Amino acid sequence: MPSLKNYSETNTAWWEQIGLRQSVVLPPSRHEVLVQKAIADVLQTHSPIAFLAPDGITKLTVKQLAELIDRVAKHAEVEAQSEYERAELERRDFGWKMIEEASTLSDANQIIETGRWVAFTRGEAIAWCWNLFQYEPQGFVHPGSEVRHRAIQELQSGGIPEVFGYPERARALADQGLTPKQYREHKEALGERTFTPLDVKHSR
């Protein structure tokens, strides 16, 4: 729905009252400016009399529709935050579960003899992987996102991925005297959240 506040002769155009905007690449070309102004002029001179509700009978003014949208948006925001918090608890509990399971594997105490995880036990390396994937995420966009996806699949299948500098990061943390459990407890004490792709913001 096109709408440009710059072309409105009033403080708030009717379409802006219900939150409609047009996404444009800035700065717009002269062609885009002229087209947008023409559209805005049409909208400005053709205000809707009413909006028909789903019941097919009730009619809402622009102001009433704007108020309805505001109420719905606020409710959706509360619901979304509640879902976000629930998902965070699930990810955190899952991470703890994976760390606990790593220490009970039949080969948990087996020393890794080759590769970037050398000198770690398998249980330690797996636990560090889950910690770092959850608290120090990398691989937000392609091709990193594909690397991350494949690495997590490998981890879930019992492998120990060597990606994103995680073996070196785990070694540095271990050299500081931290165990995987202590690392996670420290992160939780600081109130840090586990990673979710929903937190990733992409610039345009």
Side-chain angles (χ1 to χ4, degrees):
M1 180 65 173
S3 68
L4 284 185
K5 190 171 184 178
N6 293 343
Y7 298 129
S8 174
E9 297 178 357
T10 60
N11 291 331
T12 305
W14 67 262
W15 59 90
E16 291 180 322
Q17 295 179 45
I18 56 176
L20 297 180
R21 297 288 189 277
Q22 181 182 29
S23 297
V24 295
V25 177
L26 298 177
S29 67
R30 176 170 175 74
H31 169 76
E32 290 171 326
V33 169
L34 292 175
V35 170
Q36 292 164 8
K37 183 180 185 305
I39 294 172
D41 286 344
V42 171
L43 291 173
Q44 191 68 46
T45 56
H46 292 75
S47 299
I49 297 174
F51 291 87
L52 191 63
D55 62 11
I57 300 174
T58 306
K59 294 181 179 180
L60 305 177
T61 64
V62 172
K63 181 180 179 181
Q64 289 173 324
L65 182 62
E67 292 172 346
L68 175 60
I69 289 174
D70 185 59
R71 291 196 302 272
V72 169
K74 288 179 178 177
H75 177 73
E77 185 175 357
V78 171
E79 290 292 315
Q81 184 61 31
S82 176
E83 172 61 20
Y84 183 84
E85 297 294 339
R86 183 195 63 75
E88 162 62 19
L89 289 176
E90 286 188 356
R91 287 192 304 275
R92 192 173 67 185
D93 290 346
F94 176 77
W96 272 116
K97 177 184 176 183
M98 292 297 97
I99 287 177
E100 295 292 346
E101 287 186 359
S103 65
T104 62
L105 294 172
S106 59
D107 58 355
N109 295 322
Q110 179 182 332
I111 303 295
I112 299 173
E113 298 180 350
T114 60
R116 291 162 59 192
W117 287 101
V118 66
F120 281 100
T121 66
R122 284 186 54 80
E124 289 171 337
I126 291 172
W128 277 120
C129 278
W130 283 113
N131 274 340
L132 297 173
F133 272 112
Q134 285 199 324
Y135 282 106
E136 299 186 25
Q138 297 186 48
F140 300 141
V141 295
H142 189 78
S145 56
E146 180 65 22
V147 173
R148 178 182 176 85
H149 176 71
R150 291 181 181 276
I152 290 179
Q153 285 187 323
E154 180 183 356
L155 184 59
Q156 291 174 329
S157 299
I160 305 176
E162 299 181 353
V163 295
F164 302 132
Y166 284 164
E168 294 73 23
R169 174 59 175 159
R171 197 173 308 280
L173 291 166
D175 287 345
Q176 295 173 25
L178 287 175
T179 66
K181 290 183 179 180
Q182 290 171 334
Y183 170 90
R184 181 168 286 263
E185 289 168 349
H186 180 65
K187 289 293 185 181
E188 290 185 359
L190 291 175
E192 294 191 24
R193 294 177 176 273
T194 57
F195 170 75
T196 169
L198 296 177
D199 290 334
V200 179
K201 293 180 174 59
H202 300 278
S203 59
R204 303 186 65 177

